[in-house]
Amino acid sequence: MPQVHLDEETFERLDALRVDDEEHDEIVSELIGIYEAEELTLFRSGDME
């Protein structure tokens, strides 16, 4: 995973999302997966019109 620099507010928001001492990179990967799944769903639903 590439190295990313976060500001303090973003870091605090990631901390609020942590479950069972999850690592920040796990949270970011999960968020990216959710984003990609939503993007794919929107793309495919647009094809059906």
Side-chain angles (χ1 to χ4, degrees):
M1 177 177 272
Q3 188 173 19
V4 179
H5 299 280
L6 305 173
D7 64 22
E8 187 65 30
E9 180 183 354
T10 303
F11 192 80
E12 289 171 2
R13 291 175 72 185
L14 283 175
D15 274 344
L17 295 172
R18 291 174 74 187
V19 177
D20 298 327
D21 295 325
E22 247 180 333
E23 296 293 325
H24 290 114
D25 60 339
E26 293 173 301
I27 296 169
V28 171
S29 293
E30 187 175 340
L31 291 172
I32 290 170
I34 292 167
Y35 173 79
E36 289 174 342
E38 288 180 4
E39 184 179 75
L40 184 59
T41 301
L42 290 173
F43 178 73
R44 287 192 175 162
S45 67
D47 285 347
M48 299 185 82
E49 292 181 21

